[in-house]
Amino acid sequence: MNHPNVVSADEWQAALDELLVKEKEQTRALDALAAARRRLPMARVSADHRFVAPDGTPVGLLDLFAGRRQLVVYHHMLEPGQDWLCPGCTSFTDNIADQSHLNVRDTRLILMSRAPQDEIGVVRDRFGYTVPWYSSEPAFYDEIGLVGGFRLSVFLRVGDDVFRTYYTTARGVDRLRLDFNLLDLTPYGRQEEWEDSPEGWPRTPTMEWLRVRDEYES
């Protein structure tokens, strides 16, 4: 397996300083993108949709906010009767940390699936997840145009009205994951075929390596 060239400490620092200039440019570009995102218009969503809370209680859309103004929803790929688990969705959920810092900014993060709570509970218990995970009626997914796959949606509550403000999928969700972002800092990266890496770097097909966490070989 190949590895980066070995150079002197001064040469390494000079190369790092050059890279950091590019990183700073990227940081400013992301700041500009976030500023544009904050200026997006929003679309009203019916507040009449019904959900089932983790404890089995029927709740409405407003209840998902738990009194907060902003709601981030990760749409976990778990359909009714599904007999497999999405490694991407479960590993994303593995990365979710304590929500105290979100909550203090009037924001809540939840999981949502179309599977019923008895099926969600099996997964929740298997991995010890504590992030709130709601079961959604099909009509809600129909209104916001979700037809499958993992997604992330953001909603804003204004009084008793709910609006959808943002939506992303695929690589847009990737950038929220601690594990992928840490791997992106390492010499070998995610070690996937799509990456622009030097010749001889380890590579496997995209996402082929990813497993549900208790299925990795020790």
Side-chain angles (χ1 to χ4, degrees), residues 26-90:
Q26 181 66 19
T27 297
R28 290 172 178 147
L30 288 172
D31 288 343
L33 184 61
R37 193 180 294 116
R38 289 191 293 271
R39 289 164 172 79
L40 280 172
M42 58 188 185
R44 188 184 302 273
V45 179
S46 172
D48 295 332
H49 295 295
R50 305 301 295 172
F51 307 86
V52 180
D55 63 1
T57 304
V59 296
L61 182 57
L62 289 170
D63 297 312
L64 304 185
F65 289 79
R68 296 183 171 87
R69 288 184 298 180
Q70 301 186 131
L71 178 69
V72 181
V73 180
Y74 180 77
H75 303 280
H76 192 291
M77 290 175 58
L78 189 64
E79 297 292 326
Q82 184 172 302
D83 60 358
W84 58 277
L85 289 177
C86 170
C89 288
T90 52

